[in-house]
Amino acid sequence: SQKIEQNSEALNIQEGKTATLTCNYTNYSPAYLQWYRQDPGRGPVFLLLIRENEKEKRKERLKVTFDTTLKQSLFHITASQPADSATYLCAPSGPGNNRKLIWGLGTSLAVNP
Amino acid sequence: DAGVIQSPRHEVTEMGQEVTLRCKPISGHDYLFWYRQTMMRGLELLIYFNNNVPIDDSGMPEDRFSAKMPNASFSTLKIQPSEPRDSAVYFCASSLPRSQETQYFGPGTRLLVL
C-alpha cells in the first residue's frame, strides 16, 4: 500500500536559519504533491502544490522540490521566523485519477527567537 | 468568504449515543471531504463527494459511520452508536472543480466519546 513518511522528530531551529522538511513516499507515483500548514486547534491550510513534471516551486520564503526518482519532496522555509512554528503536512495525490490525497503524519517545526 | 463551516466545534457524548457532525462547504466548491485526525494515525480520509454524490467511501471505518450530502451547501457525518475509539478531530474540507486540487479545511469538530 501507499506510504508517506515525514521527519518523525520535531525540528527546532534558530530564527533566520533555513528549515528543511522531508517527505518520502513509496509504492506509487503521485501526479502532484501538496504541502499544508497546521496550527494547534485548526484545520490544515494549503501552502504549495508541485506537479510531477516540475522540479521546484517557490512562493515567497517557501520552496518545494519534487524528485520522482528518489520519491521524495523537500520543503524549505528560508529566513525562518517564530511565526513559522507549526506542523507541516505533506500530501501526495493518491493513485489513479481522483481527488484523494494520502497524508503524512506531519513534522512539527519550532523556530526559536 | 466565510470559509468551510463546521458544527459543533466540540462534542462530548457517552458511548452508545448518536453523534451528528455538520459541514457547510465554501460556495461554488463541488467537492467535499470528511477526514478524521488522531495523533497516532494522522489525517484519514473517510469519504468524499462530488456534486453531492459519494465518490469514495472506502475510508469509512464501519457501518456505524454514515455520511450524506442532501444539497450543495450541506453535509452530515453521523456515528451511531458512538464508541470511545471514535474520539478524534473530524474535519470537513471542500475544493473547486478546476485543475488545482487544493483543499480548504474547516476548523474541525473535536469529538470525545466517554
Side-chain angles (χ1 to χ4, degrees):
Chain A
S1 64
Q2 299 82 34
K3 190 175 177 183
I4 312 303
E5 289 185 341
Q6 296 188 244
N7 314 62
S8 56
E9 299 289 323
L11 189 60
N12 282 273
I13 64 168
Q14 208 62 32
E15 182 176 7
K17 300 292 187 185
T18 296
T20 298
L21 284 64
T22 304
C23 175
N24 295 297
Y25 56 92
T26 55
N27 295 331
Y28 79 120
S29 298
Y32 58 87
L33 188 148
Q34 301 186 41
W35 283 88
Y36 286 74
R37 168 185 172 141
Q38 187 172 23
D39 290 284
R42 295 179 176 268
V45 174
F46 171 77
L47 295 174
L48 281 168
L49 180 153
I50 187 166
R51 299 190 184 278
E52 59 180 339
N53 59 349
E54 299 174 312
K55 291 248 185 276
E56 181 180 298
K57 201 83 164 285
R58 291 175 185 262
K59 178 183 174 183
E60 297 173 354
R61 294 183 298 110
L62 309 180
K63 184 178 86 171
V64 173
T65 62
F66 195 6
D67 189 326
T68 55
T69 302
L70 291 179
K71 292 187 180 293
Q72 181 181 79
S73 175
L74 298 179
F75 178 80
H76 306 273
I77 306 175
T78 58
S80 59
Q81 305 166 359
D84 296 325
S85 299
T87 295
Y88 291 85
L89 299 166
C90 164
S93 57
N97 184 24
N98 59 51
R99 286 296 181 110
K100 288 176 75 165
L101 296 175
I102 313 294
W103 295 82
L105 288 178
T107 298
S108 175
L109 172 67
V111 181
N112 305 307
Chain B
D1 193 335
V4 175
I5 298 172
Q6 291 186 247
S7 65
R9 293 294 311 277
H10 297 90
E11 177 83 25
V12 181
T13 191
E14 292 191 344
M15 182 174 64
Q17 297 298 305
E18 177 179 295
V19 175
T20 299
L21 311 182
R22 297 173 176 78
C23 175
K24 176 178 168 55
I26 294 172
S27 177
H29 286 195
D30 66 355
Y31 282 86
L32 184 138
F33 306 82
W34 281 103
Y35 288 95
R36 177 171 66 180
Q37 187 176 40
T38 59
M39 290 288 291
M40 291 300 296
R41 299 172 69 91
L43 263 175
E44 300 175 281
L45 178 66
L46 300 175
I47 185 172
Y48 79 94
F49 296 82
N50 179 218
N51 290 320
N52 314 335
V53 175
I55 302 301
D56 187 334
D57 65 354
S58 59
M60 294 287 261
E62 47 202 91
D63 292 346
R64 296 185 299 105
F65 285 68
S66 62
K68 293 182 181 179
M69 192 162 186
N71 58 62
S73 59
F74 183 66
S75 177
T76 59
L77 178 68
K78 188 174 291 187
I79 308 173
Q80 166 63 19
S82 57
E83 296 182 2
R85 61 190 167 123
D86 301 330
S87 298
V89 181
Y90 291 81
F91 287 105
C92 174
S94 66
S95 71
L96 284 163
R98 293 193 293 266
S99 60
Q100 185 171 355
E101 292 82 358
T102 303
Q103 295 184 18
Y104 296 83
F105 283 75
T109 295
R110 187 172 294 273
L111 173 65
L112 178 62
V113 183
L114 302 173

